[in-house]
């Protein structure tokens, strides 16, 4: 009996230690997610990201877990496709962050990245925006919470124009006064950084991206209204589907916030010209 108890105690200790490794945290999450145990799955994520994900009350009715909205795991059929393959971690194994690439055996195969961060003596999964920018200086405005890469300036005029854009979209999207007050209280995170860091967070070269899991904009542009528009549409709808028809998803963001550094008015004029000249038809986009 003494040997049995000793073995059980030893097994418990080994399990406890291994559960604190970044790989074990990722494996635990993937196992819980594939089993549909979402309450358990949430325990593997950084608590501050869980709070950040819930603060605006935005959900997506066609996925089960908003914090992982950027992963292919949220796509239909991926969880049931088979055992995922986890690649070797990239990053600091002692202090983090660590990035893992997870392959899912769909046809064709798809891959998603996961990031682990260390919080005290524990490891958690986290949004890449949190992992890279959680210690950056913070400047709040009326509707935004700027996290600015050290060494980059925050232009007050651009920040003010973004607040004006949020207020104008609130009117155009018929967001209630109560919801606008909540937005002013909780704010949208706006991470301003170099393009290399944007690419590291987004997982691909880009000027900017809307991080739907944590309601944040990550961008190298001082006034990226297009990506901000994506979040405001989700906030107005409250429970918009994640898998929206691309023509509508991007079209609304262009209509509100323009794109490629061009205003919405310029792009709408270009769109009218394209249609008038017969270069494209509306039905071809639907």
């Amino acid at each position: 009996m003494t040997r049995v108890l000793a073995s059980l105690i030893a097994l418990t200790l080994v399990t406890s230690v291994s559960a604190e490794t970044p790989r074990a945290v990722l494996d635990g999450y993937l196992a819980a997610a594939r089993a549909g145990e979402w309450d358990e799955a949430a325990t593997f994520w950084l608590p501050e990201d869980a709070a950040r994900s819930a603060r605006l009350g935005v959900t997506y009715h066609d996925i089960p877990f908003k914090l992982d909205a950027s992963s292919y795991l949220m796509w239909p059929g991926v969880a049931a496709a088979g055992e995922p393959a986890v690649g070797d971690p990239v990053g600091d194994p002692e202090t983090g962050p660590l990035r893992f690439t997870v392959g899912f055996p769909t046809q064709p195969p798809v891959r998603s990245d996961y990031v682990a961060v260390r919080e005290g003596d524990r490891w958690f999964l986290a949004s890449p925006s949190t992992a890279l920018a959680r210690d950056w200086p913070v400047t709040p405005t009326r509707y935004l919470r700027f996290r600015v890469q050290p060494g980059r300036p925050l232009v007050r005029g651009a920040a003010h124009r973004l607040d004006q854009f949020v207020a104008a979209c609130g009117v155009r999207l018929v967001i209630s006064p109560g919801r606008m007050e909540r937005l002013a209280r909780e704010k949208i995170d706006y991470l301003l950084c170099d393009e290399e860091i944007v690419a590291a967070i987004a997982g691909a070269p880009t000027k900017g991206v809307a991080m739907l899991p944590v309601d944040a904009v990550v961008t190298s542009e001082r006034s990226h209204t297009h990506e901000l528009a994506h979040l405001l549409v989700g906030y107005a709808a409250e429970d918009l589907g994640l898998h929206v028809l691309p023509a509508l998803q991007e079209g609304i963001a262009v209509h509100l916030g323009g794109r490629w550094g061009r205003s919405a008015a310029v792009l709408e004029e270009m769109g009218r010209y394209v249609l008038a000249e017969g270069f494209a038809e509306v039905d071809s986009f639907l």
Side-chain angles (χ1 to χ4, degrees), residues 113-225:
D113 286 344
Y114 287 85
V115 176
V117 298
R118 189 161 193 163
E119 182 79 355
D121 60 353
R122 294 192 60 188
W123 288 87
F124 294 94
L125 299 179
S127 166
S129 58
T130 299
L132 293 179
R134 63 194 307 202
D135 296 327
W136 290 359
V138 175
T139 302
T141 63
R142 172 64 174 164
Y143 294 111
L144 304 173
R145 184 184 299 103
F146 283 89
R147 296 181 182 273
V148 182
Q149 178 187 349
R152 284 197 58 137
L154 174 61
V155 179
R156 294 287 181 171
H160 178 65
R161 287 193 294 274
L162 284 174
D163 271 336
Q164 290 180 316
F165 174 76
V166 173
C169 284
V171 174
R172 298 179 71 180
L173 296 171
V174 198
I175 301 175
S176 71
R179 293 275 291 168
M180 291 302 294
E181 289 174 8
R182 179 175 183 173
L183 189 59
R185 183 174 65 252
E186 300 293 345
K187 306 187 188 305
I188 291 173
D189 285 322
Y190 194 99
L191 280 63
L192 184 60
C193 51
D194 295 341
E195 283 190 36
E196 294 79 7
I197 296 181
V198 177
I201 291 174
T206 182
K207 292 283 188 182
V209 63
M211 303 294 289
L212 302 184
V214 290
D215 298 307
V217 171
V218 180
T219 181
S220 60
E221 296 185 1
R222 295 169 179 168
S223 184
H224 206 151
T225 51

